């Protein structure tokens, strides 16, 4: 295969879900090769012709762990099971339940502003509303002061460069929860002091 063809195959490979060199466990029809392997874009004549015509790559080629060809090409995505790396397992996102997130926020507000009564309610309903928290209080700290405490709990979705909230730990009903807060919005309702 020429280097120009290899570059085109690599560019079109973005249509596949596994990156080149990804570790997998092969479970396809070539039973002699069942077990650990890595994947590359399929370079068989059919796949290479499709990619050169502008069609996205849809099949893999199996390689050994050190990158040597196994001779198995045109592998379906259903014939390989991704094997997450140690780093991927350690950084897997664990999302807290809304109940645990609300309880953590309630305790944090009481600790930060002693003597002020806060009402922390989880969202109800369907869609994104159920991932919202409403905080209410009377008198005491300003909205800005409370927002300074609540803002770090808000999850930000999008590209990986965006900040994500720090993981938190909270005990609810005797069970320890640890993970990323799941609130998509925190509404602040400060009532005037009586």
């Amino acid at each position: 295969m020429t280097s120009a063809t290899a570059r085109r195959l690599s560019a079109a490979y973005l249509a596949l879900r596994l990156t080149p060199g990804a570790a997998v466990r092969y479970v396809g029809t070539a039973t002699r090769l069942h077990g650990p392997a890595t994947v590359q874009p399929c370079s068989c004549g059919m796949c290479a012709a499709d990619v050169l015509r502008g069609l996205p790559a849809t099949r893999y080629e199996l390689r050994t762990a050190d990158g040597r060809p196994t001779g198995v090409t045109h592998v379906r995505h259903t014939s390989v099971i991704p094997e997450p790396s140690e780093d991927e397992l350690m950084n897997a996102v664990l999302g807290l339940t809304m109940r645990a997130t609300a309880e953590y926020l309630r305790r944090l507000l009481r600790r930060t502003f002693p003597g002020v009564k806060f009402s922390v309610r989880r969202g109800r309903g369907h869609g994104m509303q159920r991932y919202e928290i409403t905080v209410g209080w009377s008198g005491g700290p300003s909205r800005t002061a409370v927002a300074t405490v609540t803002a770090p709990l808000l999850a930000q979705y999008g590209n990986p460069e965006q900040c994500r909230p720090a993981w938190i730990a909270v005990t609810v009903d005797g069970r320890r929860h640890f993970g990323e807060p799941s609130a998509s919005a925190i509404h602040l309702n400060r009532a005037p002091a009586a």
Side-chain angles (χ1 to χ4, degrees), residues 3-194:
S3 61
T5 304
R7 280 195 303 274
R8 286 188 203 140
L9 284 175
S10 295
Y13 187 66
L14 297 175
L16 295 171
R17 64 190 179 109
L18 298 174
T19 58
V24 297
R25 186 165 35 94
Y26 177 66
V27 293
T29 55
T31 55
R32 64 181 172 75
L33 291 173
H34 278 189
T38 61
V39 289
Q40 294 291 327
C42 184
S43 62
C44 75
M46 236 178 355
C47 289
D50 284 349
V51 169
L52 293 174
R53 286 188 318 205
L55 299 173
T58 58
R59 301 290 178 114
Y60 298 104
E61 178 178 299
L62 285 187
R63 300 281 178 109
T64 62
D66 59 0
R68 288 181 286 129
T70 62
V72 178
T73 60
H74 215 64
V75 176
R76 289 183 177 92
H77 71 278
T78 54
S79 297
V80 293
I81 300 169
E83 295 283 343
S85 68
E86 184 90 18
D87 191 43
E88 289 170 326
L89 289 173
M90 295 300 289
N91 293 312
V93 174
L94 298 174
L96 286 180
T97 64
M98 281 302 294
R99 181 176 180 207
T101 302
E103 183 59 32
Y104 176 84
L105 181 56
R106 183 178 294 112
R107 292 176 189 176
L108 179 62
L109 289 168
R110 288 179 182 161
R111 193 171 54 244
T112 307
F113 306 106
V116 178
K117 285 188 89 171
F118 286 96
S119 165
V120 179
R121 299 187 186 275
R122 294 178 279 149
R124 301 275 188 239
H126 301 288
M128 291 305 291
Q129 290 177 340
R130 65 183 167 184
Y131 296 104
E132 296 177 357
I133 295 176
T134 302
V135 177
W137 74 101
S138 176
S142 67
R143 280 179 53 92
T144 304
V146 174
T148 303
V149 174
T150 62
L153 296 181
L154 291 176
Q156 295 188 19
Y157 302 98
N159 62 38
E161 287 79 33
Q162 287 183 315
C163 294
R164 297 200 63 85
W167 284 25
I168 58 175
V170 62
T171 303
V172 180
D173 296 333
R175 185 168 170 237
R176 187 96 168 137
H177 300 266
F178 179 72
E180 188 176 281
S182 55
S184 64
I186 300 176
H187 304 287
L188 305 178
N189 296 326
R190 182 178 186 252

